[in-house]
Amino acid sequence: MTTSTTSEPSAAPLFDLQGLVVAVRRRRRLWYAMALLGLLVGAAVAVLLPPPPSAVTKVLVAHEEDQPNDTGTLIRTDVELLGTTRIAEKALQSLKSPENPEDFMRDYRGTGLTNNLLQIEVTGDSDAEAVSRARALADAFVADHVRRMQEAAQAEAKALSDQRDRMRDELAQVNEEIGDRPPESDPTESASIESLFARRAELNSRIADFDQRAEEARTGTPKVIAGTQIVDAPRAMRHSLPKAVVTNAAIGLVLGLVLGLALAAVGTVVADRPVLRRDIAANLGASVIAELPRRSGRLWQRRRTRAARERLTLSLARTVRGSAEPVSLLELGCARSTSVLALDVAGALAPDGPVVIVDGLPGPQLAGRRSKPGAPTVVSGERAEAMSPHERRFGVGSVAPGTAWTDLQYLGTRTVLVVRAGHGSAAWLHTVTRQLADQRIPVIGVVLIDPDPRDRTDGTLWNGLHTALRGQSERVVRQNGGGTSHAVQAVGEGHRPAERQPMWAARVPDNDQEAR
């Protein structure tokens, strides 16, 4: 039974939520820093910008139209009336202050606590001034409210009295028409006389009703006057500095954390830097063969990291030892880790003979190190041509922006990419793939540095078996009768394979031309 090694490419999702979450989590330093900055700023604001001295008072407001089912419309009206220049001007007059009413209105505010309870908060230059301002403002509001209620009651009583007087005038006319005639004096006029008597009775009833309503309007005003009063005397508000610091720091922490998460998410979407091994392998067109953390990690993780590094070193040493073509290590965003890995591989190859590392890194990671007895020889690219053909060599270079692409073939005609997760954008990874393809340098594997520990995606490409490390032994097994494949024959004969047709065209995305 034959298993197909190719698969149909699945459509890329429009929005990769998993990649976004992983990328945001990897940028936790950013939102940690923003949260800490928000905490410090909030605490500093509480200390450096304390609230001004303020006073508070509460006023019970009685309304003529109070109803049990009122939704707070009346008290909201009172709050708006408190913020008018008329109230502010009356309060300033009682304080004998030349301040502008518009400016004074910025120093106080009203809040409706219930349908009939109004709270007034006033600031000032000192506690005493704030208390006096609150008292003057409350008195001005109570006086204005009582005056408005009295005027409304008087207007209503006057309207009812005027209506009653008109009814009395009409009643006088009806009484004059009736005169001294009894209701049954003349049978021919009995119907009209009866209507006059009915009209007189109706007018008497309406006059009595208007008298009662006018009296109720007058008697309602004393209840409103007595009910509207200051129930909580003005007092200075005490501010606790520790409480303010804790409150402002907590608010700043939350705001900073939210802002940091938002910046991390936006930056991740804009930068488009793959972090999952699935995406990195797809963009580079090569399988992920190993992973290494960027740092040693915690104490209980160092043993596991050291074991993984040793396994990778032995695997790369076997690859370099068994390859008839020079092998290079090309880094992207992890020059230090690549230089350490190259020294480890050279140490593993040292028992087989002299090892020379061709340094193509732009920094001093290899060139600037101190040489020790028994350490491998490190030469620059210019001195690589003068090396003895009997010395085993492998190159170390970079595929970061600014790379001289035509010089990579002198470091090695086969390469292992050492890539830091989340360092290069998808467009740049496409550029690296295309440039290596143009130089006829196949990528035999990708070493992922600083991977996400929660990444469970598959970084294996099944259509690159001819260049992958896992394909070296499988090609030998597939030969009938245990024969040797062309690649192994090439290794034994000491020359490059006569025919090598990498599947770059099938692996490189269509938008690589734009990435270049």
Side-chain angles (χ1 to χ4, degrees), residues 329-371:
L329 299 179
L330 302 180
E331 65 85 23
L332 180 60
C334 50
R336 183 177 179 278
S337 300
T338 305
S339 61
V340 174
L341 184 60
L343 294 175
D344 293 342
V345 173
L349 294 172
D352 299 339
V355 181
V356 177
I357 301 177
V358 181
D359 182 18
L361 293 175
Q365 287 80 7
L366 288 175
R369 71 179 186 88
R370 294 181 180 180
S371 59

mmCIF file of all heavy atoms in Angstrom, residues 329-371:
data_model
loop_
_atom_site.group_PDB
_atom_site.id
_atom_site.type_symbol
_atom_site.label_atom_id
_atom_site.label_comp_id
_atom_site.label_asym_id
_atom_site.label_seq_id
_atom_site.Cartn_x
_atom_site.Cartn_y
_atom_site.Cartn_z
ATOM 1 N N LEU A 329 24.370 27.143 8.075
ATOM 2 C CA LEU A 329 23.328 27.534 9.021
ATOM 3 C C LEU A 329 23.036 29.012 8.784
ATOM 4 O O LEU A 329 23.928 29.861 8.950
ATOM 5 C CB LEU A 329 23.772 27.315 10.471
ATOM 6 C CG LEU A 329 24.117 25.888 10.897
ATOM 7 C CD1 LEU A 329 24.557 25.869 12.360
ATOM 8 C CD2 LEU A 329 22.921 24.969 10.717
ATOM 9 N N LEU A 330 21.825 29.347 8.397
ATOM 10 C CA LEU A 330 21.425 30.715 8.117
ATOM 11 C C LEU A 330 20.396 31.161 9.140
ATOM 12 O O LEU A 330 19.376 30.482 9.325
ATOM 13 C CB LEU A 330 20.860 30.835 6.694
ATOM 14 C CG LEU A 330 21.803 30.411 5.569
ATOM 15 C CD1 LEU A 330 21.110 30.583 4.228
ATOM 16 C CD2 LEU A 330 23.105 31.205 5.609
ATOM 17 N N GLU A 331 20.695 32.262 9.803
ATOM 18 C CA GLU A 331 19.820 32.708 10.896
ATOM 19 C C GLU A 331 18.925 33.844 10.457
ATOM 20 O O GLU A 331 19.242 34.604 9.532
ATOM 21 C CB GLU A 331 20.659 33.129 12.102
ATOM 22 C CG GLU A 331 21.556 34.348 11.874
ATOM 23 C CD GLU A 331 20.825 35.667 12.107
ATOM 24 O OE1 GLU A 331 19.813 35.672 12.827
ATOM 25 O OE2 GLU A 331 21.268 36.697 11.555
ATOM 26 N N LEU A 332 17.823 33.975 11.193
ATOM 27 C CA LEU A 332 16.904 35.091 11.018
ATOM 28 C C LEU A 332 16.383 35.495 12.385
ATOM 29 O O LEU A 332 15.503 34.860 12.955
ATOM 30 C CB LEU A 332 15.738 34.715 10.105
ATOM 31 C CG LEU A 332 14.705 35.830 9.846
ATOM 32 C CD1 LEU A 332 15.371 37.027 9.203
ATOM 33 C CD2 LEU A 332 13.565 35.317 8.974
ATOM 34 N N GLY A 333 16.985 36.530 12.942
ATOM 35 C CA GLY A 333 16.554 37.044 14.231
ATOM 36 C C GLY A 333 17.153 36.344 15.425
ATOM 37 O O GLY A 333 16.721 36.599 16.557
ATOM 38 N N CYS A 334 18.154 35.488 15.249
ATOM 39 C CA CYS A 334 18.734 34.746 16.382
ATOM 40 C C CYS A 334 20.211 34.470 16.094
ATOM 41 O O CYS A 334 20.632 33.299 16.067
ATOM 42 C CB CYS A 334 17.970 33.464 16.647
ATOM 43 S SG CYS A 334 17.710 32.451 15.181
ATOM 44 N N ALA A 335 21.007 35.519 15.873
ATOM 45 C CA ALA A 335 22.416 35.345 15.535
ATOM 46 C C ALA A 335 23.189 34.701 16.677
ATOM 47 O O ALA A 335 24.051 33.842 16.454
ATOM 48 C CB ALA A 335 23.028 36.703 15.171
ATOM 49 N N ARG A 336 22.903 35.066 17.906
ATOM 50 C CA ARG A 336 23.641 34.508 19.036
ATOM 51 C C ARG A 336 23.355 33.025 19.195
ATOM 52 O O ARG A 336 24.275 32.218 19.374
ATOM 53 C CB ARG A 336 23.262 35.258 20.311
ATOM 54 C CG ARG A 336 24.025 34.800 21.544
ATOM 55 C CD ARG A 336 23.671 35.625 22.768
ATOM 56 N NE ARG A 336 24.387 35.180 23.948
ATOM 57 C CZ ARG A 336 24.008 34.152 24.703
ATOM 58 N NH1 ARG A 336 22.892 33.487 24.407
ATOM 59 N NH2 ARG A 336 24.710 33.796 25.762
ATOM 60 N N SER A 337 22.086 32.643 19.128
ATOM 61 C CA SER A 337 21.749 31.221 19.248
ATOM 62 C C SER A 337 22.355 30.417 18.106
ATOM 63 O O SER A 337 22.818 29.287 18.305
ATOM 64 C CB SER A 337 20.226 31.050 19.271
ATOM 65 O OG SER A 337 19.654 31.740 20.353
ATOM 66 N N THR A 338 22.390 30.993 16.907
ATOM 67 C CA THR A 338 22.966 30.290 15.760
ATOM 68 C C THR A 338 24.465 30.112 15.921
ATOM 69 O O THR A 338 25.023 29.051 15.588
ATOM 70 C CB THR A 338 22.655 31.052 14.467
ATOM 71 O OG1 THR A 338 21.250 31.252 14.367
ATOM 72 C CG2 THR A 338 23.129 30.292 13.250
ATOM 73 N N SER A 339 25.144 31.144 16.424
ATOM 74 C CA SER A 339 26.590 31.015 16.629
ATOM 75 C C SER A 339 26.913 29.958 17.675
ATOM 76 O O SER A 339 27.853 29.168 17.508
ATOM 77 C CB SER A 339 27.176 32.365 17.038
ATOM 78 O OG SER A 339 26.604 32.813 18.261
ATOM 79 N N VAL A 340 26.147 29.915 18.759
ATOM 80 C CA VAL A 340 26.353 28.876 19.778
ATOM 81 C C VAL A 340 26.093 27.499 19.196
ATOM 82 O O VAL A 340 26.840 26.537 19.448
ATOM 83 C CB VAL A 340 25.455 29.157 20.996
ATOM 84 C CG1 VAL A 340 25.538 28.006 21.992
ATOM 85 C CG2 VAL A 340 25.855 30.456 21.665
ATOM 86 N N LEU A 341 25.029 27.376 18.392
ATOM 87 C CA LEU A 341 24.721 26.090 17.774
ATOM 88 C C LEU A 341 25.826 25.672 16.809
ATOM 89 O O LEU A 341 26.192 24.489 16.735
ATOM 90 C CB LEU A 341 23.375 26.193 17.056
ATOM 91 C CG LEU A 341 22.830 24.924 16.416
ATOM 92 C CD1 LEU A 341 22.630 23.845 17.460
ATOM 93 C CD2 LEU A 341 21.522 25.206 15.690
ATOM 94 N N ALA A 342 26.390 26.628 16.066
ATOM 95 C CA ALA A 342 27.470 26.301 15.134
ATOM 96 C C ALA A 342 28.700 25.808 15.882
ATOM 97 O O ALA A 342 29.368 24.845 15.448
ATOM 98 C CB ALA A 342 27.813 27.533 14.299
ATOM 99 N N LEU A 343 29.039 26.432 17.003
ATOM 100 C CA LEU A 343 30.173 25.971 17.793
ATOM 101 C C LEU A 343 29.924 24.575 18.347
ATOM 102 O O LEU A 343 30.852 23.743 18.410
ATOM 103 C CB LEU A 343 30.455 26.961 18.919
ATOM 104 C CG LEU A 343 30.938 28.350 18.485
ATOM 105 C CD1 LEU A 343 31.065 29.279 19.693
ATOM 106 C CD2 LEU A 343 32.272 28.255 17.757
ATOM 107 N N ASP A 344 28.696 24.285 18.762
ATOM 108 C CA ASP A 344 28.375 22.945 19.258
ATOM 109 C C ASP A 344 28.526 21.908 18.153
ATOM 110 O O ASP A 344 29.066 20.807 18.377
ATOM 111 C CB ASP A 344 26.951 22.921 19.817
ATOM 112 C CG ASP A 344 26.820 23.763 21.073
ATOM 113 O OD1 ASP A 344 27.859 24.074 21.692
ATOM 114 O OD2 ASP A 344 25.678 24.122 21.430
ATOM 115 N N VAL A 345 28.055 22.228 16.947
ATOM 116 C CA VAL A 345 28.179 21.294 15.830
ATOM 117 C C VAL A 345 29.652 21.082 15.475
ATOM 118 O O VAL A 345 30.092 19.949 15.204
ATOM 119 C CB VAL A 345 27.387 21.811 14.620
ATOM 120 C CG1 VAL A 345 27.648 20.948 13.387
ATOM 121 C CG2 VAL A 345 25.899 21.839 14.928
ATOM 122 N N ALA A 346 30.443 22.169 15.489
ATOM 123 C CA ALA A 346 31.867 22.024 15.214
ATOM 124 C C ALA A 346 32.549 21.161 16.268
ATOM 125 O O ALA A 346 33.441 20.352 15.943
ATOM 126 C CB ALA A 346 32.514 23.413 15.147
ATOM 127 N N GLY A 347 32.136 21.305 17.523
ATOM 128 C CA GLY A 347 32.701 20.443 18.557
ATOM 129 C C GLY A 347 32.338 18.991 18.357
ATOM 130 O O GLY A 347 33.146 18.096 18.647
ATOM 131 N N ALA A 348 31.111 18.724 17.864
ATOM 132 C CA ALA A 348 30.726 17.339 17.611
ATOM 133 C C ALA A 348 31.477 16.755 16.419
ATOM 134 O O ALA A 348 31.684 15.536 16.335
ATOM 135 C CB ALA A 348 29.225 17.252 17.371
ATOM 136 N N LEU A 349 31.901 17.596 15.473
ATOM 137 C CA LEU A 349 32.645 17.125 14.303
ATOM 138 C C LEU A 349 34.145 17.082 14.548
ATOM 139 O O LEU A 349 34.890 16.564 13.695
ATOM 140 C CB LEU A 349 32.353 18.038 13.110
ATOM 141 C CG LEU A 349 30.927 18.034 12.563
ATOM 142 C CD1 LEU A 349 30.770 19.125 11.514
ATOM 143 C CD2 LEU A 349 30.567 16.675 11.979
ATOM 144 N N ALA A 350 34.614 17.645 15.635
ATOM 145 C CA ALA A 350 36.054 17.730 15.884
ATOM 146 C C ALA A 350 36.749 16.379 15.915
ATOM 147 O O ALA A 350 37.880 16.257 15.418
ATOM 148 C CB ALA A 350 36.294 18.501 17.183
ATOM 149 N N PRO A 351 36.157 15.312 16.492
ATOM 150 C CA PRO A 351 36.872 14.025 16.477
ATOM 151 C C PRO A 351 37.150 13.492 15.082
ATOM 152 O O PRO A 351 38.057 12.662 14.918
ATOM 153 C CB PRO A 351 35.922 13.106 17.245
ATOM 154 C CG PRO A 351 35.142 14.007 18.126
ATOM 155 C CD PRO A 351 34.958 15.248 17.318
ATOM 156 N N ASP A 352 36.429 13.921 14.046
ATOM 157 C CA ASP A 352 36.650 13.420 12.696
ATOM 158 C C ASP A 352 37.773 14.151 11.969
ATOM 159 O O ASP A 352 38.179 13.723 10.887
ATOM 160 C CB ASP A 352 35.365 13.558 11.870
ATOM 161 C CG ASP A 352 34.229 12.750 12.463
ATOM 162 O OD1 ASP A 352 34.510 11.811 13.225
ATOM 163 O OD2 ASP A 352 33.057 13.083 12.178
ATOM 164 N N GLY A 353 38.246 15.247 12.503
ATOM 165 C CA GLY A 353 39.298 15.994 11.841
ATOM 166 C C GLY A 353 39.097 17.475 12.029
ATOM 167 O O GLY A 353 38.179 17.931 12.730
ATOM 168 N N PRO A 354 39.987 18.269 11.426
ATOM 169 C CA PRO A 354 39.880 19.731 11.565
ATOM 170 C C PRO A 354 38.550 20.257 11.021
ATOM 171 O O PRO A 354 38.074 19.817 9.977
ATOM 172 C CB PRO A 354 41.065 20.257 10.751
ATOM 173 C CG PRO A 354 41.989 19.098 10.611
ATOM 174 C CD PRO A 354 41.145 17.867 10.609
ATOM 175 N N VAL A 355 37.988 21.190 11.738
ATOM 176 C CA VAL A 355 36.712 21.795 11.365
ATOM 177 C C VAL A 355 36.903 23.300 11.270
ATOM 178 O O VAL A 355 37.521 23.918 12.143
ATOM 179 C CB VAL A 355 35.600 21.467 12.386
ATOM 180 C CG1 VAL A 355 34.286 22.089 11.957
ATOM 181 C CG2 VAL A 355 35.459 19.966 12.555
ATOM 182 N N VAL A 356 36.393 23.844 10.193
ATOM 183 C CA VAL A 356 36.488 25.280 9.970
ATOM 184 C C VAL A 356 35.073 25.835 9.816
ATOM 185 O O VAL A 356 34.256 25.286 9.060
ATOM 186 C CB VAL A 356 37.331 25.607 8.720
ATOM 187 C CG1 VAL A 356 37.349 27.111 8.473
ATOM 188 C CG2 VAL A 356 38.743 25.081 8.884
ATOM 189 N N ILE A 357 34.799 26.912 10.520
ATOM 190 C CA ILE A 357 33.503 27.594 10.423
ATOM 191 C C ILE A 357 33.707 28.858 9.594
ATOM 192 O O ILE A 357 34.533 29.713 9.930
ATOM 193 C CB ILE A 357 32.951 27.959 11.809
ATOM 194 C CG1 ILE A 357 32.767 26.702 12.666
ATOM 195 C CG2 ILE A 357 31.622 28.701 11.680
ATOM 196 C CD1 ILE A 357 32.290 26.997 14.079
ATOM 197 N N VAL A 358 32.980 28.948 8.506
ATOM 198 C CA VAL A 358 33.030 30.148 7.668
ATOM 199 C C VAL A 358 32.007 31.139 8.219
ATOM 200 O O VAL A 358 30.798 30.894 8.179
ATOM 201 C CB VAL A 358 32.732 29.807 6.196
ATOM 202 C CG1 VAL A 358 32.818 31.058 5.338
ATOM 203 C CG2 VAL A 358 33.700 28.743 5.695
ATOM 204 N N ASP A 359 32.510 32.222 8.741
ATOM 205 C CA ASP A 359 31.660 33.204 9.423
ATOM 206 C C ASP A 359 31.115 34.200 8.416
ATOM 207 O O ASP A 359 31.856 34.995 7.836
ATOM 208 C CB ASP A 359 32.460 33.926 10.503
ATOM 209 C CG ASP A 359 31.615 34.924 11.267
ATOM 210 O OD1 ASP A 359 30.370 34.816 11.202
ATOM 211 O OD2 ASP A 359 32.188 35.811 11.930
ATOM 212 N N GLY A 360 29.807 34.153 8.225
ATOM 213 C CA GLY A 360 29.134 35.126 7.371
ATOM 214 C C GLY A 360 28.142 35.975 8.113
ATOM 215 O O GLY A 360 27.324 36.664 7.506
ATOM 216 N N LEU A 361 28.205 35.935 9.448
ATOM 217 C CA LEU A 361 27.289 36.722 10.261
ATOM 218 C C LEU A 361 27.700 38.190 10.232
ATOM 219 O O LEU A 361 28.897 38.512 10.224
ATOM 220 C CB LEU A 361 27.279 36.217 11.706
ATOM 221 C CG LEU A 361 26.690 34.824 11.928
ATOM 222 C CD1 LEU A 361 26.865 34.405 13.382
ATOM 223 C CD2 LEU A 361 25.227 34.781 11.543
ATOM 224 N N PRO A 362 26.739 39.103 10.233
ATOM 225 C CA PRO A 362 27.096 40.523 10.183
ATOM 226 C C PRO A 362 27.674 41.047 11.487
ATOM 227 O O PRO A 362 28.357 42.062 11.507
ATOM 228 C CB PRO A 362 25.760 41.202 9.860
ATOM 229 C CG PRO A 362 24.720 40.255 10.361
ATOM 230 C CD PRO A 362 25.289 38.882 10.175
ATOM 231 N N GLY A 363 27.439 40.388 12.600
ATOM 232 C CA GLY A 363 27.910 40.856 13.898
ATOM 233 C C GLY A 363 29.152 40.122 14.360
ATOM 234 O O GLY A 363 29.701 39.260 13.676
ATOM 235 N N PRO A 364 29.622 40.438 15.588
ATOM 236 C CA PRO A 364 30.850 39.830 16.106
ATOM 237 C C PRO A 364 30.599 38.555 16.911
ATOM 238 O O PRO A 364 31.407 38.220 17.777
ATOM 239 C CB PRO A 364 31.406 40.943 16.997
ATOM 240 C CG PRO A 364 30.183 41.620 17.531
ATOM 241 C CD PRO A 364 29.130 41.526 16.461
ATOM 242 N N GLN A 365 29.467 37.868 16.679
ATOM 243 C CA GLN A 365 29.163 36.704 17.494
ATOM 244 C C GLN A 365 30.249 35.635 17.412
ATOM 245 O O GLN A 365 30.608 35.009 18.410
ATOM 246 C CB GLN A 365 27.809 36.090 17.074
ATOM 247 C CG GLN A 365 26.602 36.901 17.502
ATOM 248 C CD GLN A 365 26.352 38.074 16.582
ATOM 249 O OE1 GLN A 365 27.007 38.213 15.549
ATOM 250 N NE2 GLN A 365 25.417 38.938 16.941
ATOM 251 N N LEU A 366 30.790 35.402 16.206
ATOM 252 C CA LEU A 366 31.852 34.408 16.027
ATOM 253 C C LEU A 366 33.214 35.060 15.853
ATOM 254 O O LEU A 366 34.202 34.617 16.437
ATOM 255 C CB LEU A 366 31.539 33.535 14.804
ATOM 256 C CG LEU A 366 30.384 32.535 14.964
ATOM 257 C CD1 LEU A 366 30.104 31.841 13.649
ATOM 258 C CD2 LEU A 366 30.703 31.511 16.045
ATOM 259 N N ALA A 367 33.267 36.119 15.076
ATOM 260 C CA ALA A 367 34.554 36.744 14.803
ATOM 261 C C ALA A 367 35.145 37.411 16.045
ATOM 262 O O ALA A 367 36.368 37.460 16.201
ATOM 263 C CB ALA A 367 34.412 37.770 13.676
ATOM 264 N N GLY A 368 34.320 37.900 16.926
ATOM 265 C CA GLY A 368 34.827 38.618 18.086
ATOM 266 C C GLY A 368 35.044 37.757 19.309
ATOM 267 O O GLY A 368 35.382 38.282 20.365
ATOM 268 N N ARG A 369 34.871 36.473 19.212
ATOM 269 C CA ARG A 369 35.034 35.615 20.396
ATOM 270 C C ARG A 369 36.509 35.303 20.606
ATOM 271 O O ARG A 369 37.338 35.376 19.687
ATOM 272 C CB ARG A 369 34.246 34.314 20.217
ATOM 273 C CG ARG A 369 34.844 33.389 19.198
ATOM 274 C CD ARG A 369 34.047 32.112 19.076
ATOM 275 N NE ARG A 369 34.732 31.185 18.181
ATOM 276 C CZ ARG A 369 35.648 30.324 18.575
ATOM 277 N NH1 ARG A 369 35.964 30.264 19.860
ATOM 278 N NH2 ARG A 369 36.248 29.521 17.718
ATOM 279 N N ARG A 370 36.814 34.937 21.840
ATOM 280 C CA ARG A 370 38.182 34.557 22.162
ATOM 281 C C ARG A 370 38.396 33.082 21.810
ATOM 282 O O ARG A 370 37.616 32.212 22.204
ATOM 283 C CB ARG A 370 38.444 34.762 23.650
ATOM 284 C CG ARG A 370 38.395 36.229 24.079
ATOM 285 C CD ARG A 370 38.689 36.346 25.567
ATOM 286 N NE ARG A 370 38.649 37.746 25.994
ATOM 287 C CZ ARG A 370 38.873 38.135 27.257
ATOM 288 N NH1 ARG A 370 39.144 37.223 28.197
ATOM 289 N NH2 ARG A 370 38.819 39.407 27.561
ATOM 290 N N SER A 371 39.452 32.828 21.060
ATOM 291 C CA SER A 371 39.749 31.448 20.663
ATOM 292 C C SER A 371 40.379 30.696 21.830
ATOM 293 O O SER A 371 41.237 31.215 22.538
ATOM 294 C CB SER A 371 40.692 31.442 19.463
ATOM 295 O OG SER A 371 41.901 32.112 19.790
#
